[in-house]
Amino acid sequence: VFPPAGGFGMNTGLQDVHNLAWRIAIAQDTKRLPSTYLAAYGKERRTIAQQNAALSVRNFHRVLKVTNACYLDKQHPDILLKVLDGSSFVPFSSRQALFRSLLET
């Protein structure tokens, strides 16, 4: 499982499909896929997936450091969404003021 930072999970999956597709194409052309091609697939892709997962986790932790340095926590996005919600009965000018004060927090 990849954190959502950078889209590495999706990119890894697309690369996996591409890597597998050319192996299948060879099998279609030659009517036989050498066992070494399939054995190499897992070894090649696992290494790349592990590197991408590690990079994604590092990036996620870097983002957390930035948000913590700005004194933001996991509740701030929900608070901001509630403040900016257009269906609120709170007047727009009050929502703007609250938004500004939250940014200063």
Side-chain angles (χ1 to χ4, degrees):
V1 176
F2 290 84
F8 289 105
M10 180 182 64
N11 288 334
T12 302
L14 291 172
Q15 292 170 3
D16 285 345
V17 168
H18 179 267
N19 191 291
L20 193 55
W22 73 260
R23 293 168 196 272
I24 292 171
I26 288 174
Q28 290 289 323
D29 286 346
T30 63
K31 303 297 182 209
R32 185 172 164 272
L33 183 63
S35 60
T36 55
Y37 279 54
L38 288 178
Y41 170 79
K43 185 177 180 181
E44 290 172 12
R45 297 310 303 162
R46 179 176 297 276
T47 302
I48 292 169
Q50 288 171 335
Q51 290 171 350
N52 285 347
L55 180 58
S56 183
V57 169
R58 275 196 310 272
N59 287 345
F60 180 72
H61 286 291
R62 288 176 182 155
V63 168
L64 289 179
K65 285 180 183 180
V66 170
T67 57
N68 289 337
C70 295
Y71 301 103
L72 298 173
D73 64 27
K74 63 182 180 181
Q75 295 174 342
H76 276 88
D78 291 332
I79 293 169
L80 289 174
L81 287 174
K82 287 177 184 175
V83 167
L84 298 174
D85 181 16
S87 64
S88 173
F89 293 106
V90 178
F92 182 70
S93 59
S94 298
R95 287 185 282 148
Q96 280 182 321
L98 184 55
F99 177 74
R100 286 189 185 110
S101 69
L102 288 170
L103 288 178
E104 294 171 2
T105 302

